[in-house]
Amino acid sequence: MESTSRTEVVSENEQNYDRISELKAFDETKAGVKGLVDARITKVPRIFFSPPDRFDKVSSPVKAQVCIPVIDLNGIDNDPILIKSSVDKVRGASETWGFFQVINHGIPVRVLEEMLDGVRRFYEDDTEDKRKWYTRDGLKTVVYNSNFDLYKGVSTNWRDTTYCTMAPNPPSLDELPKSCRDILVEYSREVMKLGRFLLELLSEALNLKPSHLNDMDCAEGLALLYHYYPACPEPELTLGVTEHTDYDFFTVLLQDHIGGLQVLYQNQWIDISPVPGALVVNIGDLLQLISNDKFKSGVHRVLANNVGPRVSVASFFTTGLMPSSKLYGPIKELLSEDSPPKYRETTPREYSLCHNARGLGRTSALTDFKL
């Protein structure tokens, strides 16, 4: 028996049915995608049907040999040759892929494993205990729901997400879920240290002094987004995350062994296969903006899978929706007569609101800020 094609799915999806009512019914369960799986569904509900991807059918004879750069940070602190080599690799990756992985980054394997275990504990906790965190109020310290853009996205994604604001105003332990509060604090502390170091490399990759991006407070804000992708009965019909770019300065991603993350490179979807102990780093829209397009905010997505759950933790470096009058525009040292500014100034809050209003799967919010 032939499997259902994406085109057939869209055709069915376009039939007259009350999508908004189905979205509301799903949202009101406050149980997310995991609630559907716990109910032992065998068919993916229509709200999750994904439209055809314009890159799905592009042939890729060299796809298997292409992968994002992996940068070894071991011993980099005291070795000028290693620093230069790493900066060159960061520059190349940031200008072309918008993605790279780092190994020997200084965060203990124990902390990485405990963070992933904490994510599993939270989502596999009793549904009633989790419901108290379920909200669509983006200003809360902890925001647990399924699809932040549930009513705006081009399709509903097969995942649940929790958003925790960890800096610049760290929450108290009582404000965090008991199942993972201690490791959220420890992991945040570790990833902030790594983030500041990565900003030094990114600054040098832009031919700026190492402290430049840190002095601009690009690591002032940190939000942890921890995701849960349950096994999907019909993974060919939906996506874990629709294609998008991140709205922050940059993201540090911890993923488990299952995989599914892909980056768009030369009109090909390339797998970012998990590397034991590695962290994925990707450039966000705000860094593309302040670098005046020297660095690229990489388009990426996550596939649904019939095995799971897949869990991941994305560390977003931005103050996000926090009120701030601090403006960010193209860095003056990167501008010249031949390279005038391409974007107007904005605050992280303004940019985040613009990004969230669009939902995933649409054109980047950067287009709204071009001069």
Side-chain angles (χ1 to χ4, degrees), residues 100-115:
F100 55 92
Q101 296 202 67
V102 291
I103 57 174
N104 295 314
H105 41 68
I107 301 182
V109 172
R110 172 195 63 81
V111 175
L112 303 182
E113 291 177 346
E114 287 186 16
M115 186 67 251

Side-chain angles (χ1 to χ4, degrees), residues 4-40:
T4 308
S5 71
R6 285 274 177 98
T7 303
E8 290 169 336
V9 167
V10 171
S11 176
E12 181 183 351
N13 201 32
E14 288 176 347
Q15 291 176 7
N16 189 23
Y17 81 102
D18 193 348
R19 178 175 174 80
I20 293 298
S21 291
E22 293 193 18
L23 290 171
K24 286 181 178 177
F26 169 69
D27 198 21
E28 287 169 1
T29 68
K30 297 186 177 182
V33 175
K34 187 176 187 302
L36 298 176
V37 173
D38 289 345
R40 300 181 185 277

Side-chain angles (χ1 to χ4, degrees), residues 35-183:
L36 298 176
V37 173
D38 289 345
R40 300 181 185 277
I41 64 164
T42 58
K43 297 288 184 182
V44 170
R46 282 176 294 184
I47 60 171
F48 292 93
F49 289 172
S50 177
D53 191 292
R54 64 188 183 276
F55 303 108
D56 270 355
K57 297 185 184 301
V58 177
S59 61
S60 180
V62 297
K63 184 174 178 179
Q65 286 119 25
V66 179
C67 58
I68 67 169
V70 177
I71 301 172
D72 190 345
L73 301 182
N74 186 39
I76 190 175
D77 288 337
N78 303 310
D79 190 327
I81 296 175
L82 281 180
I83 291 175
K84 183 182 185 308
S85 173
S86 297
V87 167
D88 290 343
K89 290 175 183 177
V90 167
R91 180 185 299 113
S94 301
E95 291 176 347
T96 54
W97 291 86
F99 271 81
F100 55 92
Q101 296 202 67
V102 291
I103 57 174
N104 295 314
H105 41 68
I107 301 182
V109 172
R110 172 195 63 81
V111 175
L112 303 182
E113 291 177 346
E114 287 186 16
M115 186 67 251
L116 293 174
D117 287 343
V119 174
R120 294 187 191 98
R121 282 196 303 272
F122 174 84
Y123 287 106
E124 292 166 9
D125 202 352
D126 182 77
T127 300
E128 286 303 317
D129 289 338
K130 281 187 305 193
R131 278 195 176 118
K132 67 183 178 183
W133 302 103
Y134 196 97
T135 180
R136 296 210 171 268
D137 181 356
L139 296 179
K140 288 187 175 294
T141 300
V142 177
V143 179
Y144 155 56
N145 59 45
S146 188
N147 290 254
F148 79 91
D149 59 346
L150 183 65
Y151 299 100
K152 299 170 185 173
V154 296
S155 66
T156 308
N157 291 161
W158 195 260
R159 80 179 188 287
D160 300 326
T161 297
T162 304
Y163 179 106
C164 299
T165 302
M166 303 302 292
N169 302 313
S172 66
L173 287 179
D174 290 342
E175 294 178 280
L176 298 173
K178 186 176 181 180
S179 55
C180 55
R181 61 177 53 156
D182 291 334
I183 190 59

